């Protein structure tokens, strides 16, 4: 079972035997890998019925639900790691979802596409149209992305919410870590996607 490059980076951040919730787990690819390779106690939350069916067919414990409305019902710190991959920008209230992630899990792993990536900037500059890339693979009129942000925007949101970024990996279009990491201008320019390990202020005090 071979994971997509960015999912492999996420998987590497999760210790073996952890209790994990994968939100927006799709067909269960990451959750199945973590269960098989790292013996995690994994659960999934997925909006689409097709994704739920595919996950259950893999033998995974996945329920249908909407992160925008259903995360409020989860108790505090019930999971060691909560994962949200390439989904935050599709939420109606990403700030509230982010707050729930660091409340439900002692750690949250969030990956977001970078709308400030250099290829996206050039696409808009020279073509005058919203960019379509491997990561942003939809036309403007049918995209599920409703909140467009750059990696710098996401970092600033975490700082405003007093959420600590314990680890970050910016990757290029092939899922390979960029030469530029950290908070600088070049990191925001050359990372097509950011993967963040987060921890809320309250979790750090316990």
């Amino acid at each position: 079972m071979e994971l997509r490059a960015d999912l492999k980076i996420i998987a590497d951040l999760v210790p073996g035997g952890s209790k994990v919730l994968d939100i927006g787990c799709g067909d269960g690819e990451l959750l199945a890998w973590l269960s098989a390779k790292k013996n995690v106690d994994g659960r999934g939350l997925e909006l689409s019925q097709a994704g739920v069916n595919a996950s259950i067919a893999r033998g995974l414990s996945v329920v249908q639900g909407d992160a925008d409305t259903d995360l409020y019902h989860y108790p505090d710190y019930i999971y060691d790691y909560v994962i949200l991959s390439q989904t935050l920008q599709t939420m109606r209230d990403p700030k509230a979802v982010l707050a729930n992630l660091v409340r439900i899990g002692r750690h949250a792993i969030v990956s977001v596409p970078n709308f400030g990536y250099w290829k996206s900037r050039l696409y808009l500059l020279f073509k005058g149209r919203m960019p379509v890339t491997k990561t942003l693979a939809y036309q403007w009129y049918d995209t599920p992305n409703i909140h467009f942000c750059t990696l710098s925007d996401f970092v600033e949101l975490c700082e405003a919410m007093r959420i600590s970024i314990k680890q970050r990996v910016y990757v290029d279009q092939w899922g390979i870590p960029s030469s530029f990491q950290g908070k600088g201008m070049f990191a925001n320019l050359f990372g097509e996607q950011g993967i963040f390990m987060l921890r809320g202020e309250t979790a750090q005090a316990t």
Side-chain angles (χ1 to χ4, degrees):
M1 185 190 304
E2 192 64 31
L3 279 178
R4 202 175 70 218
D6 60 308
L7 293 182
K8 182 63 169 61
I9 292 173
I10 293 174
D12 288 342
L13 295 174
V14 179
S18 299
K19 191 172 183 181
V20 173
L21 175 65
D22 188 3
I23 301 169
C25 63
D27 64 2
E29 177 187 7
L30 175 60
L31 203 54
W33 193 96
L34 288 171
S35 298
K37 304 294 185 180
K38 289 203 165 183
N39 195 33
V40 304
D41 179 5
R43 302 288 187 274
L45 181 71
E46 169 57 32
L47 182 61
S48 75
Q49 187 62 58
V52 173
N53 293 343
S55 296
I56 292 174
R58 292 176 183 260
L60 301 172
S61 178
V62 173
V63 297
Q64 187 172 25
D66 186 340
D68 267 314
T69 57
D70 295 343
L71 294 182
Y72 295 99
H73 304 299
Y74 284 78
D76 294 358
Y77 308 124
I78 190 173
Y79 292 97
D80 298 315
Y81 289 82
V82 177
I83 299 169
L84 186 71
S85 174
Q86 294 290 304
T87 306
L88 187 65
Q89 73 282 356
T90 70
M91 300 287 102
R92 291 190 297 275
D93 191 347
K95 185 176 179 181
V97 170
L98 192 58
N100 274 316
L101 297 185
V102 296
R103 178 186 62 79
I104 295 168
R106 296 192 178 278
H107 299 85
I109 301 173
V110 178
S111 69
V112 292
N114 181 19
F115 289 87
Y117 183 54
W118 71 271
K119 283 191 175 182
S120 297
R121 299 187 194 203
L122 287 179
Y123 194 107
L124 184 59
L125 177 63
F126 289 109
K127 295 193 175 184
R129 302 199 311 272
M130 291 301 295
V132 178
T133 67
K134 183 178 178 181
T135 303
L136 307 173
Y138 299 90
Q139 296 289 341
W140 68 270
Y141 49 81
D142 65 357
T143 178
N145 301 316
I146 58 177
H147 294 282
F148 303 92
C149 77
T150 69
L151 299 181
S152 293
D153 288 326
F154 181 81
V155 170
E156 286 185 4
L157 175 60
C158 289
E159 291 173 347
M161 296 177 67
R162 297 185 178 180
I163 295 172
S164 294
I165 298 175
K166 296 299 183 181
Q167 193 169 347
R168 73 186 83 192
V169 183
Y170 296 160
V171 300
D172 63 18
Q173 58 187 319
W174 299 284
I176 299 171
S178 166
S179 301
F180 300 97
Q181 301 291 329
K183 291 176 62 176
M185 175 184 70
F186 290 107
N188 190 46
L189 191 61
F190 291 105
E192 187 172 20
Q193 177 186 166
I195 299 167
F196 299 87
M197 168 86 78
L198 308 175
R199 199 167 190 206
E201 193 174 64
T202 305
Q204 296 178 69
T206 59

